[in-house]
Amino acid sequence: ALDDYLGTNVLSEEEMEEYLTRMVKLQEICTSQGKELYFIIPPNKAQVYPEKMPSYTIENDYRRVEQLLNYIQTNSDIKIVYPLEELLAAKNLLQLYFKTDTHWNEAGAFIGVQALYSLMGMPTTDLQDLSYYQKDFNEGDLIRMGNLNPEDFPADINFEIEYKPEVGVTALDDGQAGDPIYKTFSNSENECNFCIVGDSYRAFMSKYLIKDFSHYFQLYTKFISEPENREIVQDADIIVVECVERFNPTLLETLDILCEYLQQ
């Protein structure tokens, strides 16, 4: 994440071409099978809150993900979003990332989902039009990784957002959003099989996605190669690939596995 922030890990032309070649291959397979494909790259926390960073010297303002995004958009019709501008615009309304954790909170995930919906051509919802309340969060991964005492830190901030309470959702197999595989069924009017393949950022996104698709499947990239995932990917009408900015090198393996599944 620090390399991303300082701009010291920019990609070469050949590396960007490798990303694009694999994304185009997956796009072509999906198109041939009547599937829709989208990509979302959640920004690192440091990009949304640069004022909280130490006074490092930025070596390159044209950072890795922005460079890759521009390359993809210039050389293909791949549908991809990096919702940095949306998050920067919303951060004065609510805290969007945890202070003691590397992830966005439920408010940040909501902004990210709305940016994804805009990319997909779906109706979006303004956060300010919804009811929400603040709640505590006490499980920061930065505290755990630093081997720090949680009692030395005040409770972090999260939000409960009341999004489409009229839509009923049933979690299948007693699943939860943090599970490697999470399946839900809802009475959403959008009847389709929606599959998101992503890292840990996907979990808070699910709170909203499950309300907007009748059949929702969420797969954790760490376990994407498990055999039971193959049928879920093959049956999907919409596939979203999520990969947080700092993990973007893992995207290549994910693309290869998804292509393999869809070609079997």
Side-chain angles (χ1 to χ4, degrees), residues 35 45 54 60 88 99 140 180 243:
K35 303 179 188 297
K45 182 169 65 172
N60 190 344
L88 289 172
K99 294 180 180 181
C243 183

Side-chain angles (χ1 to χ4, degrees), residues 56 75 88 108 158-159 163 169-170 182 204 253 258 260 263:
Y56 293 112
N75 294 286
L88 289 172
N158 200 5
F159 296 92
Y163 182 68
V169 178
T170 301
Y182 180 46
F204 279 143
E253 181 181 3
L258 290 175
E260 177 188 340
Q263 289 179 310

Side-chain angles (χ1 to χ4, degrees), residues 193-220:
N193 290 339
F194 177 96
C195 175
I196 181 170
V197 180
D199 50 49
S200 51
Y201 269 64
R202 83 207 181 284
F204 279 143
M205 294 175 68
S206 69
K207 297 200 69 170
Y208 315 108
L209 295 169
I210 60 177
K211 298 290 188 75
D212 287 312
F213 301 95
S214 62
H215 295 80
Y216 175 85
F217 302 91
Q218 176 181 284
L219 306 179
Y220 193 11

Side-chain angles (χ1 to χ4, degrees), residues 13-237:
E13 183 86 11
E14 291 76 17
E15 289 172 320
M16 290 191 291
E17 184 177 358
E18 183 177 9
Y19 277 90
L20 181 60
T21 298
R22 299 191 196 190
M23 294 170 80
V24 168
K25 179 180 179 181
L26 179 58
Q27 173 72 70
E28 290 175 345
I29 295 171
C30 287
T31 299
S32 70
Q33 297 181 9
K35 303 179 188 297
E36 298 177 30
L37 175 67
Y38 304 94
F39 293 87
I40 179 169
I41 304 177
N44 294 340
K45 182 169 65 172
Q47 316 295 34
V48 180
Y49 293 96
E51 69 277 9
K52 304 294 185 182
M53 292 293 289
S55 55
Y56 293 112
T57 299
I58 303 300
E59 297 194 20
N60 190 344
D61 286 321
Y62 190 34
R63 295 181 173 95
R64 178 188 180 101
V65 167
E66 295 167 317
Q67 186 183 38
L68 178 61
L69 186 69
N70 289 339
Y71 184 85
I72 292 168
Q73 293 175 330
T74 300
N75 294 286
S76 75
D77 59 355
I78 295 292
K79 295 180 179 178
I80 184 170
V81 63
Y82 172 62
L84 178 60
E85 293 303 319
E86 292 86 347
L87 290 161
L88 289 172
K91 74 176 190 179
N92 290 329
L93 175 64
L94 294 177
Q95 181 178 316
L96 305 178
Y97 285 65
F98 297 113
K99 294 180 180 181
T100 59
D101 193 280
T102 58
H103 298 85
W104 57 16
N105 61 20
E106 293 180 28
F110 179 87
I111 300 299
V113 168
Q114 299 312 305
L116 175 63
Y117 286 172
S118 180
L119 176 72
M120 297 172 68
M122 291 177 54
T124 59
T125 304
D126 192 325
L127 180 57
Q128 297 185 76
D129 293 334
L130 301 179
S131 298
Y132 55 84
Y133 63 86
Q134 184 174 315
K135 59 183 181 180
D136 290 345
F137 178 83
N138 298 296
E139 302 175 5
D141 61 4
L142 291 173
I143 292 177
R144 295 196 300 273
M145 287 188 287
N147 196 27
L148 304 172
N149 184 356
E151 296 180 0
D152 293 338
F153 296 85
D156 213 328
I157 295 175
N158 200 5
F159 296 92
E160 185 69 32
I161 299 171
E162 188 174 329
Y163 182 68
K164 297 189 177 181
E166 72 279 6
V167 177
V169 178
T170 301
L172 306 180
D173 304 325
D174 296 320
Q176 298 181 2
D179 293 344
I181 300 176
Y182 180 46
K183 308 175 186 178
T184 68
F185 171 79
S186 77
N187 60 349
S188 169
E189 295 180 355
N190 192 359
E191 296 187 3
C192 66
N193 290 339
F194 177 96
C195 175
I196 181 170
V197 180
D199 50 49
S200 51
Y201 269 64
R202 83 207 181 284
F204 279 143
M205 294 175 68
S206 69
K207 297 200 69 170
Y208 315 108
L209 295 169
I210 60 177
K211 298 290 188 75
D212 287 312
F213 301 95
S214 62
H215 295 80
Y216 175 85
F217 302 91
Q218 176 181 284
L219 306 179
Y220 193 11
T221 47
K222 283 187 177 180
F223 302 97
I224 185 63
S225 59
E226 295 295 324
E228 58 190 308
N229 292 326
R230 180 179 291 106
E231 186 175 346
I232 292 174
V233 173
Q234 292 173 343
D235 290 344
D237 301 306

